[in-house]
Amino acid sequence: MPGIGDRSMRIAFTIHKFPPESLGGTEIYAWSLARGLTAAGHEVHVFYPLAGTPPEERQVVHEGLHLWRAPLPATRASENPAAQYWHTFRDAAIEKDFAHFLAETKPDLVHLQHVQGVSARLISLARHLPRVMTLHDYWYFCANSQLIRPDRQVCGGPRAGWSCVDCATARADLQPLRALRPLVALPFAYRNTYLRGLLRSIDLFIAPSYFLRQQYVGQGFPGDRIRVLENGVDLERLRAESGAVVEPPPLRPHIAFIGSLAWQKGVHVLIKAFNQISEQAALTIYGSEKVFPEYAQELRQLAANPTIRFAGALNHRAVGKALQTIDCLVVPSVWYENSPLVIQEAFAMSVPVVASRLGALEEKVQEGVNGRLFAPGDDRELARILRQLIGQPQQLASLRQGIRPGPDMWQHSQMVEALYREISGAKLA
């Protein structure tokens, strides 16, 4: 490999969670990329924290990946709010374990997928190595990572920590602290300043959307070091015969949502829209009801149309099979999505997408070409679009023909590998 010779690389990933224990979008992407790099002949070591791991399982090889699970204390979940906040970006025990990890694995390069809930100081502990960081969300300048205020409005940024106070005191028992707003804002201002200082030394950032890149540039991060590179899709996983059972839809066309049942995902907007539809069609909601049970219960109570069904969380290996039964995927988010993997998975399986006209969704979905767009939160406009698609099947057929899938994971891993070569060569120059 140019810059470090023609040999294969030993690559270190850092991330907050990882399969098989956690299957969120960031985790699935990192897992797929790690497998793609491994298939290309590289050796990937993944460092992440995991509570309750016995000593004999802290370092294992799983599906060709070398996993290093940093132990978390059993008391972490019961810490007071101040300690919980501190441990979102600093953890001395994890930092010590990471230093040991680097000494043992001796990587050629570190790819920071995420450090939230791990420790931001990992960035500086690896300063002697080439470092790539993928920006999966807004966490490096927004402590809740989503730029959403407690009143469910999009946030314009931290404002020296002042905006963060409302999020930090959203719980009823903490709201009296708002009277001390200047003092409460200080820890957030410190956190953001600390992270900004650490990120100045990163060799190269990867953003999966132009929208996400612009949000970071707008907050003063170095735009010349932020490359836009769309996430890759693991076609092998989507097309594999997994043996998973996916119930067929009771009616066609079949509309669906796939993702987290969290209010910022806007599932309530979709259900309200579908309640207005009398045409013959079915709506399936794929998502776990255990993560946010109160919101899930609210959704069930809201669902008046008898063709709405809740099918639970999809195993990541069953997503492809589910998409084969779907005529249109809806992404009704009310927050600044940066690059939902589910849209790329839908396009890879030739499924049109209807999405909110918000954040990076407008980059992924082109109106009238591969999908439709509607005003965020507007269930009436969404209902009107769905009626058109249900009543005019030729529209769905036309949108399917307009889909141009993004890179698969093999293509994406080659692009990432080229970036590794670039910064490795610059580091050695």
Side-chain angles (χ1 to χ4, degrees), residues 316-363:
H316 68 290
R317 295 189 183 277
V319 172
K321 180 172 283 190
L323 285 168
Q324 291 175 5
T325 73
I326 295 170
D327 298 298
C328 177
L329 182 78
V330 181
V331 182
S333 299
V334 293
W335 75 292
Y336 283 155
E337 293 274 13
N338 55 79
S339 188
L341 185 61
V342 70
I343 290 181
Q344 291 171 256
E345 292 177 330
F347 287 163
M349 301 299 287
S350 299
V351 177
V353 175
V354 175
S356 303
R357 193 181 290 106
L358 187 68
L361 297 180
E362 291 184 90
E363 288 180 40

Side-chain angles (χ1 to χ4, degrees), residues 50-355:
L50 184 65
T53 305
E56 65 274 12
E57 295 182 13
R58 288 177 185 167
Q59 297 176 42
V60 299
V61 177
H62 180 68
E63 297 186 347
L65 306 180
H66 302 261
L67 307 184
W68 186 300
R69 296 152 165 171
L72 284 176
T75 57
R76 180 58 53 83
S78 59
E79 290 176 335
N80 63 61
Q84 288 180 354
Y85 169 71
W86 178 257
H87 284 136
T88 61
F89 67 100
R90 284 298 308 272
D91 190 305
I94 290 179
E95 292 160 11
K96 183 178 179 180
D97 203 26
F98 184 68
H100 182 44
F101 164 78
L102 292 179
E104 287 288 316
T105 59
K106 296 180 173 59
D108 298 304
L109 175 142
V110 175
H111 191 154
L112 300 135
Q113 296 289 345
H114 223 311
V115 295
Q116 179 184 9
V118 189
S119 178
R121 188 165 173 259
L122 270 55
I123 298 169
S124 61
L125 290 174
R127 60 185 175 274
H128 60 291
L129 295 166
R131 288 162 299 166
V132 176
M133 174 179 282
T134 295
L135 302 170
H136 289 286
D137 52 34
Y138 311 99
W139 182 76
Y140 295 98
F141 64 88
C142 169
N144 74 16
S145 77
Q146 295 183 323
L147 285 180
I148 283 283
R149 294 177 54 79
D151 60 3
R152 301 191 173 185
Q153 299 300 308
V154 173
C155 180
R159 294 176 53 244
W162 282 75
S163 297
C164 306
V165 174
D166 293 332
C167 290
T169 58
R171 282 170 33 184
D173 60 330
L174 296 177
Q175 287 182 8
L177 290 175
R178 292 182 184 178
L180 303 173
R181 184 175 290 270
L183 291 178
V184 178
L186 282 175
F188 293 97
Y190 166 76
R191 185 204 89 105
N192 293 342
T193 300
Y194 175 70
L195 291 179
R196 191 180 300 270
L198 288 175
L199 266 61
R200 286 195 191 103
S201 65
I202 294 292
D203 297 286
L204 192 68
F205 299 90
I206 297 174
S209 70
Y210 288 96
F211 180 85
L212 183 63
R213 178 186 182 276
Q214 190 54 44
Q215 290 298 308
Y216 272 89
V217 171
Q219 292 295 326
F221 288 82
D224 61 324
R225 280 187 278 141
I226 304 177
R227 302 283 182 87
V228 176
L229 185 63
E230 190 172 39
N231 291 336
V233 175
D234 189 347
L235 293 180
E236 180 183 348
R237 173 175 57 86
L238 289 178
R239 295 172 179 172
E241 180 52 55
S242 63
V245 176
V246 175
E247 292 294 327
L251 292 169
R252 303 297 287 263
H254 181 207
I255 315 299
F257 168 89
I258 300 176
S260 172
L261 299 191
W263 67 264
Q264 64 268 29
K265 293 292 185 178
V267 190
H268 56 283
V269 180
L270 173 56
I271 290 178
K272 286 179 181 179
F274 215 78
N275 284 341
Q276 301 169 43
I277 291 174
S278 59
E279 288 80 2
Q280 290 294 298
L283 170 64
T284 300
I285 306 295
Y286 292 106
S288 173
E289 299 182 47
K290 298 178 181 179
V291 181
F292 301 103
E294 292 182 1
Y295 181 66
Q297 183 61 31
E298 178 186 325
L299 294 177
R300 282 190 171 272
Q301 292 173 351
L302 189 63
N305 190 320
T307 64
I308 299 175
R309 61 174 182 162
F310 292 81
L314 273 176
N315 182 287
H316 68 290
R317 295 189 183 277
V319 172
K321 180 172 283 190
L323 285 168
Q324 291 175 5
T325 73
I326 295 170
D327 298 298
C328 177
L329 182 78
V330 181
V331 182
S333 299
V334 293
W335 75 292
Y336 283 155
E337 293 274 13
N338 55 79
S339 188
L341 185 61
V342 70
I343 290 181
Q344 291 171 256
E345 292 177 330
F347 287 163
M349 301 299 287
S350 299
V351 177
V353 175
V354 175

Side-chain angles (χ1 to χ4, degrees), residues 401-421:
Q401 291 177 356
I403 292 172
R404 299 293 180 267
D408 62 31
M409 187 49 71
W410 174 251
Q411 294 167 326
H412 179 77
S413 62
Q414 289 181 312
M415 297 174 192
V416 172
E417 186 179 335
L419 295 179
Y420 291 168
R421 290 197 299 266

